């Protein structure tokens, strides 16, 4: 039996270069939809250009049970595939990461993490 712990879901969406402006609006819409998900703790989105335009979406959930309950309406990969499919290079990729060893939230603002991720 797995210990109940926060779950981080990382979703990567690679956008067609000529569709960046349109993609930005649709991805913001996806983020707004996610914010109403029960069990969602936080949502962060980062954009970058490295071998093309991409967006990284980080969602943190209370636990795996919350994530599983939200699957039908609040899966980042599914929402992106549904609302931005015509703007993506390939289907979004998604990874689940579990905090098992004394996770603590960073004291730095999210903007610092974005700089480090995109650097």
């Amino acid at each position: 039996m797995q210990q109940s712990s926060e779950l981080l879901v990382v979703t990567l969406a690679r956008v067609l270069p000529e569709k960046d402006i349109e993609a930005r609006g649709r991805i913001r819409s996806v983020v707004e939809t996610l914010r109403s998900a029960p069990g969602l703790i936080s949502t962060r989105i980062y954009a970058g250009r490295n071998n093309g335009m991409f967006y990284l979406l980080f969602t943190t959930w209370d636990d795996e049970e919350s994530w599983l309950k939200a699957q039908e309406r609040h899966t980042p990969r599914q929402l992106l595939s549904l609302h931005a499919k015509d703007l993506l290079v390939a289907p979004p990729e998604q990874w689940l990461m579990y905090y098992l060893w004394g996770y603590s939230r960073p004291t730095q603002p999210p903007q610092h993490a974005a700089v480090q991720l995109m650097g």
Side-chain angles (χ1 to χ4, degrees):
M1 181 174 173
Q2 184 169 351
Q3 172 185 353
S4 177
S5 62
E6 285 183 13
L7 175 67
L8 173 65
V9 178
V10 180
T11 308
L12 172 65
R14 298 181 192 278
V15 176
L16 294 166
E18 65 276 8
K19 300 290 187 173
D20 179 39
I21 294 172
E22 188 177 352
R24 189 176 310 146
R26 289 202 208 167
I27 289 171
R28 284 185 185 147
S29 175
V30 166
V31 169
E32 288 303 315
T33 300
L34 284 168
R35 288 193 175 138
S36 67
L40 182 73
I41 296 173
S42 67
T43 302
R44 298 278 188 243
I45 189 161
Y46 303 98
R49 294 188 185 278
N50 187 9
N51 298 325
M53 185 70 203
F54 67 89
Y55 290 89
L56 275 174
L57 178 60
F58 295 86
T59 54
T60 307
W61 301 82
D62 284 333
D63 52 28
E64 187 173 8
E65 183 178 337
S66 297
W67 163 251
L68 292 173
K69 285 180 183 177
Q71 290 297 297
E72 188 173 313
R73 296 186 56 215
H74 296 98
T75 304
R77 179 173 50 198
Q78 181 182 15
L79 287 170
L80 287 166
S81 294
L82 181 66
H83 297 289
K85 183 178 183 176
D86 58 325
L87 308 176
L88 302 178
V89 173
E93 298 175 51
Q94 191 165 269
W95 300 272
L96 306 180
M97 304 170 93
Y98 298 88
Y99 302 119
L100 297 176
W101 298 292
Y103 166 75
S104 62
R105 296 188 184 279
T107 56
Q108 295 292 328
Q111 294 79 7
H112 292 287
V115 170
Q116 291 176 353
L117 284 171
M118 299 304 146

